[in-house]
Structures are given as C-alpha cells and as structure tokens.
C-alpha cells in the first residue's frame, strides 16, 4: 500500500544553521512529491515540489532532494530562521491520484 | 482574492448530532479533498472529489459524508456514526487530480464534541 513516513519527529537547530528534514516513502510508483509547512492552528502551506524525473530542485533558501533508489526525500533549509519553526510534512502522489501525507517533523529553531 | 475558505473556524457538537463543515474555493479547481488531523499527527484523507458530482472514499471515510454539487463547494458532514470526531479538519483543492500540481489548503475547522 501507499505510505509516507518521516525519520525524525522533532528537529532542533540553532538560528543560522542549515536544517535537513527527511522523509521515506514506500510506493515506488509515486511520481510527485511535495513539502508543506504547517504553523500551529493553520492549514499547510506549499513550500516546494519535485517530480520523479528530477533528483534535485531549489527554491528560495530551500532545496528538495529525491533519491528514488532508496525511496527517500529530504528538505534542506539554509540559514534557518525563527520563522521557519513549524511542522513540516512530505506528501506523495501516485497512480491513485490521492495526495498521501507523512506524519510530520517539528522543526524548532533556537535563537 | 482567490483562495479556499473553510467555515466555521471552531465548531462544537453534542453527542449524537450531525454537523456540516463548509469548504468553498474560487480557484476554479476541479479536485477537492478533506483531511483529518489529530494532535501531533499527520493528515489522513477522508474523501476526495476529482470532478463535480463525483467523489471517492479516502482512508478514513466511515462516519463521514460529502457532496459535490458545485465545482466551488465540497461540504463535509460528520455524522453521529463517527465515534471520535474531535479533530482538526482541513479542506484542500488542486487544479485537477492527477495533474501533479500542489494542493492549496484552507485554514481548517476545529471540531470538538461536548
């Protein structure tokens, strides 16, 4: 079946450091992946996406890496800021056209 | 402004009552979704609709019902059959299911059974 999971439920980093949030997926047929940021009491916000024909995609301060061989996805945030503190979810979409979410990682940025 | 709107933000339900959560979008999106989020947990798919007058069950559809009579609207009814309805409910929409584009989320409805 489809499932998406995260290795680390909580990640604590110092302000200014780089953050890496990891995600494992089990459905090799998934071909589209998204990272979302969710602040407390709010809906998730889109950060960046990547299709399975790519290994890396960069945005503003964020980079997503996709390793299809080991079915692993990561989100890198450069120069982490206090405003980056939130829960981060990865999500996958495959042949069923359903968007499936992982359990999330809480990123805590220490001043 | 274009967007997706959920209402109400907070909702209280008595045991045995049905309640309906509203979700409206003016993004001209074909696909709409309902997710449930429990504290400290991820999002679980309740129902989704790829087009007007059509919808499919997600992973946790029992105790919920939906309708998609209009493209803009996808209301979710939490019935008395849902044994543990207290949760944060999120509605989302995307251009079209299967198009591999991001889904946009509303701000959520927090439902509490009293």
């Amino acid at each position: 079946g489809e499932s998406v999971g995260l290795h680390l439920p909580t990640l604590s980093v110092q302000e200014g450091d780089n953050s890496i949030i990891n995600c494992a997926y089990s459905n090799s047929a998934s071909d589209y992946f998204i990272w979302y940021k969710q602040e407390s009491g709010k809906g998730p916000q889109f950060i960046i996406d990547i299709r399975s024909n790519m290994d890396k995609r960069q945005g503003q301060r964020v980079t997503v890496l996709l390793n299809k061989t080991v079915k692993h996805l990561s989100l890198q945030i450069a120069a982490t800021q206090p405003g980056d503190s939130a829960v981060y979810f990865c999500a996958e979409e495959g042949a069923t056209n359903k968007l499936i979410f992982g359990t999330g990682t809480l990123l805590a940025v220490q001043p | 402004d274009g967007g997706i709107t959920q209402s109400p933000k907070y909702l209280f339900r008595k045991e045995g009552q049905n309640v309906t959560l509203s979700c409206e979008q003016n993004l001209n999106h074909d696909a709409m979704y309902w997710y449930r989020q429990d504290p400290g947990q991820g999002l679980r798919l309740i129902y989704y609709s790829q087009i007007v007058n059509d919808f499919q069950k997600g992973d946790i559809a029992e105790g919920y019902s939906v309708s998609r009579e209009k493209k803009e609207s996808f209301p979710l009814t939490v019935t008395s059959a849902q044994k543990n309805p207290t949760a944060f409910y999120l509605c989302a929409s995307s251009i079209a299911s299967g198009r591999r584009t991001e889904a946009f989320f509303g701000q959520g409805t927090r439902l509490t059974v009293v």
Side-chain angles (χ1 to χ4, degrees):
Chain A
E2 296 180 4
S3 69
V4 177
L6 295 176
H7 294 302
L8 298 173
T10 304
L11 178 63
S12 184
V13 300
Q14 291 295 124
E15 181 178 356
D17 287 351
N18 296 335
S19 303
I20 300 176
I21 302 171
N22 296 302
C23 175
Y25 65 95
S26 60
N27 188 350
S28 57
S30 292
D31 58 6
Y32 179 60
F33 305 88
I34 311 174
W35 280 101
Y36 283 93
K37 172 185 180 182
Q38 186 180 28
E39 297 176 334
S40 181
K42 296 184 178 180
Q45 293 177 291
F46 171 85
I47 301 173
I48 192 168
D49 60 1
I50 188 168
R51 288 170 171 74
S52 59
N53 60 352
M54 303 172 68
D55 297 321
K56 179 179 179 179
R57 190 167 188 217
Q58 287 184 294
Q60 187 177 14
R61 281 203 307 121
V62 294
T63 301
V64 55
L65 298 177
L66 176 62
N67 185 332
K68 294 180 287 293
T69 302
V70 295
K71 289 183 277 188
H72 184 267
L73 193 67
S74 69
L75 176 70
Q76 300 179 1
I77 304 174
T80 311
Q81 302 168 0
D84 294 327
S85 294
V87 177
Y88 290 80
F89 293 96
C90 64
E92 63 171 318
E93 185 173 339
T96 60
N97 297 330
K98 294 189 297 184
L99 193 59
I100 305 297
F101 282 78
T103 53
T105 292
L106 173 63
L107 176 65
V109 181
Q110 308 300 323
Chain B
D1 288 352
I4 182 165
T5 302
Q6 290 185 243
S7 62
K9 187 172 182 179
Y10 299 97
L11 186 58
F12 297 89
R13 191 194 92 169
K14 292 183 179 180
E15 297 266 2
Q17 280 186 336
N18 292 354
V19 289
T20 298
L21 282 59
S22 171
C23 179
E24 303 277 334
Q25 53 96 1
N26 60 3
L27 300 167
N28 200 32
H29 286 173
D30 283 318
M32 297 187 74
Y33 312 82
W34 273 106
Y35 290 88
R36 169 181 171 141
Q37 187 175 32
D38 292 287
Q41 302 294 315
L43 281 67
R44 292 185 289 168
L45 184 63
I46 304 173
Y47 269 97
Y48 65 111
S49 168
Q50 300 185 55
I51 200 167
V52 176
N53 293 321
D54 185 55
F55 50 83
Q56 290 82 39
K57 292 182 179 180
D59 301 317
I60 55 166
E62 185 176 353
Y64 300 98
S65 65
V66 293
S67 63
R68 187 84 188 278
E69 297 177 0
K70 298 187 300 181
K71 187 175 187 178
E72 303 79 19
S73 179
F74 191 40
L76 173 74
T77 296
V78 184
T79 75
S80 57
Q82 171 50 240
K83 298 306 179 188
N84 184 22
T86 295
F88 190 47
Y89 290 87
L90 288 159
C91 180
S93 70
S94 64
I95 291 175
S97 184
R99 284 280 300 275
R100 304 300 187 261
T101 61
E102 73 271 25
F104 295 85
F105 282 83
Q107 290 303 296
T109 293
R110 189 167 300 280
L111 174 63
T112 303
V113 173
V114 295

